[in-house]
Amino acid sequence: MKTSVIAFPRVGAERELKFAAEKYFNAELSEEALRESAAGIRARQWRKMKREGIDFIPSNDFSFYDRVLDTALLFNLIPSRYRELNLSPLDCSFAMARGRGGAAGNVKPLAMKKWFNTNYHYIVPELEDDAEIRLAGEKPFLEFSEALSLGIETKPVLIGAFSFLKLLRFTGKKGIAEIRGSLVKAYRDYIRRFRELGAKWLQFDEPCLVRDLTEEDIALFFSVYEELLSEKGGPRILLQTYFGDLRDIYERLPELPFDGIGLDFVEGERTEALVFEHAFPGDRLLFAGLINGKNIWRNQYEKSLSLLLRLRERGIETVLSGSCSFLHLPYTLRGEERLSEDYKKHFAFAEEKLSELRELSQLAEGEEGSQEALRQNRALFSGGEGKADREIRRRCAGIRPEDYVRKPDFSERERLQKAEFGLPLFPTTTIGSFPQTEELREMRRRRRSGELSPEEYESFLRQRIAEWIQIQEELGLDVLVHGEFERNDMVEYFAERLRGFLFTEKAWVQSYGTRCVKPPIIWGDVSRVSPLSVKWSVYAQSLSRKPVKGMLTGPVTILNWSFPREDISLAESAKQIALAIRDEVLELEKNGIRVIQVDEAALREKLPLRKSDWYSAYLDWAIPAFRLVHSGVRAETQIHTHMCYSEFGDIIPAIDSMDADVISFEASRSDLQILDSLRENHFRTEVGPGVYDIHSPRIPESAEIRAALEKMLSRLDAEKLWVNPDCGLKTRRAEEAIPSLRNMVKAARELREERGTAVPVPDFSASQST
């Protein structure tokens, strides 16, 4: 049985690409050296897959920043504002992804959104009316030839034409109908080039097919591929899908002459039923996605083998595959020296998934010696792991319906809080974190190695908090934050202080561009055993008369940004984490913290891709989990939350029902598109749409921020509008963050002066603690 990999991680096992790219951004590395580093990563990965016996090895899955952006560049979709910069192709791509400031040109980056139901962020391509769509790039062809020079035949991969059309943002009068023909021609030219290069297979990724499809969508898909596949001759074409099933289109797929069809048997709720209840075309290869590309637990061979044998009994020629790209996994377990073998034997990262593909294919073929792998795998799944905690289970079982309801109702709380805080119109704040400098990372490293005592490290952190409280005071922000300098990551920090989690050393996963995260692993039942953040919040509040927010990460985000258990439901895990964060919220309040932000940045991330599943499969437990966190606080305690880089417009009513007092959204990179949804849904919660993009190094002028605020005021009630960046500032340098915030405060004050005067702010220093 042959094996296939949809795509592989690309930052390098030691994050080599991240560090090389960041040096390039800082003019510390040449473009030639950056490209050499990238070539080394690709060669190592191709050779690794070859050694593991993978038959369909991907190429063109590498990117310096993002594959969707690369596809836009391949087909010449470069908005005029970037073309006018007259940059090299590489620098142009980085300008589109990160923006560009200074004398070289001041342009915003393209919008960034979550990639379906993952924590990966893609760059949203724009199409202007005067765009000339054509095959313009060489990247896929060069990388295919590069692999061939190493003696490795690959399967080039590309975002499919249908999904690319659906992901495009149209900025002019043209729409899909006007550009469909020229885009299909460009894709046909792409196929012809690979025919000339001798490629045997091409993979077109069509993840948009697993969403709810309208009749218009289905007609578009068929019209695109009927034309695209009309030419005879090679290469053979693989339609690759993932993140769900093809229930809306499966029965009609035989009408199109695909040579292979890739289906997700992990997240595809109906995939198995579709395959067995409807005849799979006998002249096609089924690329069966059985190895989970999103979670790190070992595959249960017996279960997968049973399905493979049933497919064989039906006469379906099958290629064993991952369920989706391995991009969403860490590289390898080999570097995890501190994690005991008792734990590691249960996990498989990207490289280990390659071994699982090989072992399962050997089992399916009954190869000699393969039974030992099956025996060892069975042992992993025999019996429990002793993960249950009776006290936690008892507490979860005792939650009552009224525990999810905060009293009094929102309007009464809003009245009480406005009297309590006395904040001016358009109150200014930040999302939470401040720059994490090299000095801070070095001090953290020295603390881990024992070079610094706990007292020395804590003294350093207190100095940093005091410094940034003073900076915020001088800038004139109205609600302050302590800066989160003690935190390595907004999820990992809390997970390290909760019972039930495991942690890795090098299990980095790309989130966007050069940004990587290291998700913790939920191993057992979760509970809080001691305060998580209280001392830092109380210390920061003691330094200012202005309110200082207590900063926490919410239960849904902790769950979604961890590798979850597979032996209990996500709903049960969320409930356990919610109780732990609830305990921290109540202790913060007890210690005089009157504004508490519980971030749910990842709320939409795991929302099912089909609307029919939104509530029953997700929102019916995710929203109550957040409400459980804050339902026990006093009316005068103000609860904030924050969400970023997702499409929120279609779940605004659910977000409003979270019953927070203030919600901040990422909005700047999407040109404040969420505002209309807020107005249409009569959003009651006070709201802070991000007024500038923190993921770009450029510094926005106050006039630019002022224009954004005026746009907000055309749709939102001035009494409900907060002013803040679109996300935390940990990835920015102080010389970028401070002037940006200064301009933000200036814009808010100008608008405030036009509409009324500021009122005195009550004293929220530690002496007022209850």
Side-chain angles (χ1 to χ4, degrees):
M1 180 173 289
K2 291 186 176 181
T3 55
S4 176
V5 170
I6 294 173
F8 206 73
R10 54 186 183 242
V11 294
E14 301 290 338
R15 293 181 291 162
E16 301 96 311
L17 183 65
K18 166 189 170 63
F19 298 121
E22 289 174 351
K23 285 184 179 179
Y24 179 75
F25 297 155
N26 295 326
E28 299 169 6
L29 194 71
S30 69
E31 179 175 333
E32 181 182 9
L34 176 60
R35 291 191 180 278
E36 285 179 3
S37 177
I41 293 170
R42 291 192 295 268
R44 286 191 292 275
Q45 295 178 179
W46 286 328
R47 286 172 173 148
K48 173 66 176 175
M49 285 184 265
K50 184 74 171 177
R51 287 195 300 271
E52 289 287 353
I54 303 300
D55 299 287
F56 293 89
I57 296 172
S59 63
N60 198 42
D61 56 336
F62 175 85
S63 177
F64 282 109
Y65 207 95
D66 171 58
R67 277 183 57 208
V68 181
L69 173 63
D70 290 348
T71 306
L73 293 165
L74 177 67
F75 295 124
N76 200 42
L77 299 188
I78 304 173
S80 57
R81 63 185 183 276
Y82 305 109
R83 292 198 303 267
E84 291 165 359
L85 296 175
N86 295 316
L87 300 170
S88 70
L90 182 64
D91 285 345
C92 181
S93 70
F94 284 139
M96 293 168 72
R98 304 174 70 244
R100 196 172 179 93
N106 195 353
V107 294
K108 292 182 179 181
L110 294 173
M112 186 164 67
K113 291 182 181 178
K114 290 289 180 72
W115 181 245
F116 293 83
N117 55 1
T118 75
N119 186 31
Y120 178 75
H121 304 63
Y122 75 97
I123 301 298
V124 182
E126 285 184 9
L127 187 132
E128 298 175 333
D129 282 347
D130 63 350
E132 180 193 355
I133 302 174
R134 59 183 174 86
L135 182 62
E138 293 292 322
K139 177 183 177 296
F141 316 113
L142 292 173
E143 291 181 12
F144 176 77
S145 299
E146 184 182 321
L148 275 181
S149 72
L150 300 173
I152 300 172
E153 185 178 295
T154 61
K155 163 193 53 142
V157 304
L158 188 68
I159 305 298
F162 171 74
S163 290
F164 190 65
L165 283 168
K166 298 297 289 184
L167 296 172
L168 271 175
R169 181 183 174 201
F170 296 87
T171 60
K173 295 180 180 179
K174 288 184 179 180
I176 288 177
E178 287 77 19
I179 64 107
R180 186 199 69 83
S182 55
L183 185 68
V184 170
K185 180 182 182 302
Y187 270 83
R188 290 179 69 175
D189 291 340
Y190 170 87
I191 295 174
R192 289 189 190 112
R193 282 289 302 275
F194 273 116
R195 182 181 304 141
E196 295 166 1
L197 289 171
K200 294 180 180 178
W201 279 87
L202 296 181
Q203 174 182 309
F204 288 121
D205 289 0
E206 290 289 3
C208 285
L209 291 178
V210 307
R211 287 176 164 165
D212 292 314
L213 299 180
T214 64
E215 288 300 321
E216 291 78 12
D217 291 331
I218 295 172
L220 174 64
F221 171 74
F222 274 89
S223 70
V224 163
Y225 278 99
E226 283 167 356
E227 185 174 348
L228 193 56
L229 303 180
S230 60
E231 291 188 13
K232 302 298 182 183
R236 301 177 79 185
I237 303 297
L238 165 63
L239 171 70
Q240 183 63 62
T241 66
Y242 37 81
F243 302 148
D245 60 61
L246 303 187
R247 68 187 74 167
D248 295 336
I249 202 170
Y250 180 83
E251 293 181 58
R252 290 191 58 191
L253 278 181
E255 298 174 23
L256 293 170
F258 291 108
D259 301 287
I261 299 173
L263 302 178
D264 183 349
F265 284 83
V266 175
E267 285 191 273
E269 181 183 345
R270 299 189 190 175
T271 297
E272 189 172 335
L274 289 169
V275 170
F276 287 107
E277 292 174 9
H278 305 276
F280 188 83
D283 58 344
R284 319 290 166 87
L285 283 179
L286 169 62
F287 286 69
L290 289 171
I291 302 294
N292 194 332
K294 282 188 178 177
N295 211 347
I296 47 79
W297 300 91
R298 286 277 178 184
N299 181 273
Q300 190 168 357
Y301 284 178
E302 215 157 32
K303 182 179 178 182
S304 296
L305 189 59
S306 172
L307 178 59
L308 290 172
L309 295 178
R310 288 172 60 207
L311 291 170
R312 175 172 291 171
E313 289 169 1
R314 289 291 186 96
I316 300 173
E317 190 174 355
T318 304
V319 175
L320 180 61
S321 173
S323 66
C324 63
S325 168
F326 291 161
L327 170 73
H328 312 293
L329 298 168
Y331 261 81
T332 178
L333 278 162
R334 284 184 288 111
E336 300 303 325
E337 297 176 357
R338 297 178 189 172
L339 204 59
S340 80
E341 189 58 36
D342 287 341
Y343 293 127
K344 286 200 294 185
K345 66 184 180 182
H346 293 277
F347 306 138
F349 295 174
E351 286 191 0
E352 289 75 31
K353 300 281 184 181
L354 300 178
S355 299
E356 289 193 318
L357 285 168
R358 172 176 49 79
E359 289 179 351
L360 257 179
S361 99
Q362 291 170 344
L363 280 165
E365 294 303 320
E367 289 189 18
E368 186 176 348
S370 62
Q371 290 300 309
E372 176 58 22
L374 180 60
R375 186 195 64 77
Q376 293 179 7
N377 186 265
R378 279 177 178 153
L380 290 178
F381 293 90
S382 61
E385 305 300 333
K387 300 176 182 179
D389 184 304
R390 288 185 180 180
E391 176 56 29
I392 297 171
R393 300 288 175 96
R394 182 199 62 76
R395 191 178 177 196
C396 285
I399 297 173
R400 304 163 300 171
E402 54 265 35
D403 292 327
Y404 294 106
V405 180
R406 186 178 176 194
K407 295 182 178 180
D409 64 18
F410 177 84
S411 58
E412 177 63 12
R413 296 200 315 266
E414 186 176 40
R415 184 187 66 79
L416 292 170
Q417 288 169 16
K418 286 193 179 298
E420 175 82 4
F421 290 97
L423 294 170
L425 200 61
F426 316 128
T428 55
T429 188
T430 67
I431 302 305
S433 59
F434 281 130
Q436 299 240 338
T437 62
E438 284 299 326
E439 180 190 17
L440 176 57
R441 285 189 281 269
E442 174 63 15
M443 295 294 277
R444 192 176 290 149
R445 184 199 65 77
R446 292 177 63 193
R447 173 67 195 100
R448 286 196 304 267
S449 67
E451 298 175 50
L452 281 182
S453 69
E455 294 77 19
E456 290 172 319
Y457 181 59
E458 182 166 323
S459 175
F460 169 77
L461 293 177
R462 286 176 177 266
Q463 291 171 15
R464 187 56 56 89
I465 290 170
E467 173 189 349
W468 277 89
I469 289 289
Q470 183 177 350
I471 289 171
Q472 292 173 86
E473 294 270 18
E474 292 170 353
L475 288 170
L477 289 162
D478 300 302
V479 177
L480 314 186
V481 296
H482 78 282
E484 303 179 16
F485 301 109
E486 77 283 7
R487 303 179 190 182
N488 49 357
D489 176 81
M490 67 180 291
V491 170
E492 190 174 31
Y493 174 83
F494 290 102
E496 286 173 341
R497 286 152 183 81
L498 296 170
R499 180 179 291 149
F501 285 84
L502 293 178
F503 306 93
T504 60
E505 296 173 75
K506 299 180 179 180
W508 296 99
V509 179
Q510 186 178 15
S511 178
Y512 65 87
T514 62
R515 167 77 170 149
C516 298
V517 294
K518 190 152 56 70
I521 301 166
I522 304 178
W523 175 263
D525 287 343
V526 175
S527 62
R528 173 184 178 271
V529 293
S530 61
L532 309 172
S533 64
V534 173
K535 73 175 180 180
W536 302 113
S537 295
V538 169
Y539 172 66
Q541 184 62 83
S542 73
L543 302 174
S544 178
R545 297 180 60 209
K546 293 182 176 181
V548 179
K549 290 191 283 190
M551 300 298 304
L552 302 172
T553 302
V556 180
T557 296
I558 290 177
L559 175 62
N560 285 347
W561 285 356
S562 301
F563 291 116
R565 294 167 66 176
E566 294 183 343
D567 60 328
I568 66 172
S569 69
L570 294 176
E572 185 66 19
S573 280
K575 193 182 298 183
Q576 292 178 5
I577 301 169
L579 287 172
I581 302 302
R582 176 188 175 97
D583 292 344
E584 182 73 4
V585 166
L586 293 175
E587 189 152 349
L588 283 168
E589 183 184 61
K590 180 181 177 182
N591 281 273
I593 305 303
R594 308 293 292 282
V595 182
I596 302 171
Q597 182 168 308
V598 185
D599 286 338
E600 284 293 15
L603 177 75
R604 200 189 192 284
E605 185 171 301
K606 291 296 186 289
L607 187 74
L609 297 176
R610 294 183 181 276
K611 292 184 179 181
S612 58
D613 299 330
W614 280 3
Y615 283 88
S616 61
Y618 185 69
L619 292 174
D620 280 351
W621 60 260
I623 300 299
F626 181 84
R627 293 174 67 114
L628 183 61
V629 163
H630 69 80
S631 62
V633 300
R634 299 170 57 240
E636 292 82 5
T637 296
Q638 192 171 75
I639 298 295
H640 290 227
T641 190
H642 171 68
M643 300 174 190
C644 59
Y645 296 102
S646 288
E647 298 176 49
F648 297 111
D650 44 12
I651 60 165
I652 288 298
I655 292 173
D656 216 5
S657 72
M658 293 169 72
D659 205 25
D661 299 306
V662 181
I663 296 181
S664 55
F665 292 98
E666 177 281 321
S668 60
R669 285 184 78 148
S670 55
D671 287 342
L672 305 173
Q673 293 175 9
I674 196 173
L675 298 179
D676 289 330
S677 295
L678 296 175
R679 181 176 61 180
E680 291 164 5
N681 287 280
H682 307 289
F683 198 68
R684 64 175 183 172
T685 312
E686 295 187 22
V687 61
V691 296
Y692 76 90
D693 170 33
I694 66 87
H695 292 87
S696 171
R698 65 185 294 273
I699 297 168
E701 297 294 336
S702 61
E704 176 185 323
I705 297 173
R706 168 83 180 260
L709 288 170
E710 288 173 342
K711 186 174 181 180
M712 294 175 191
L713 287 169
S714 70
R715 294 165 172 81
L716 302 175
D717 184 346
E719 296 292 329
K720 289 183 176 289
L721 180 61
W722 284 65
V723 180
N724 46 259
D726 67 0
C727 206
L729 297 165
K730 66 182 294 183
T731 61
R732 298 272 55 87
R733 296 178 298 167
E735 53 266 37
E736 297 162 347
I738 292 173
S740 296
L741 292 175
R742 183 177 293 114
N743 290 343
M744 184 186 82
V745 171
K746 179 183 177 184
R749 283 178 169 171
E750 288 174 354
L751 283 179
R752 193 180 294 161
E753 289 168 2
E754 289 178 8
R755 293 172 177 252
T757 57
V759 295
V761 178
D763 188 344
F764 281 83
S765 60
S767 62
Q768 301 297 308
S769 298
T770 57

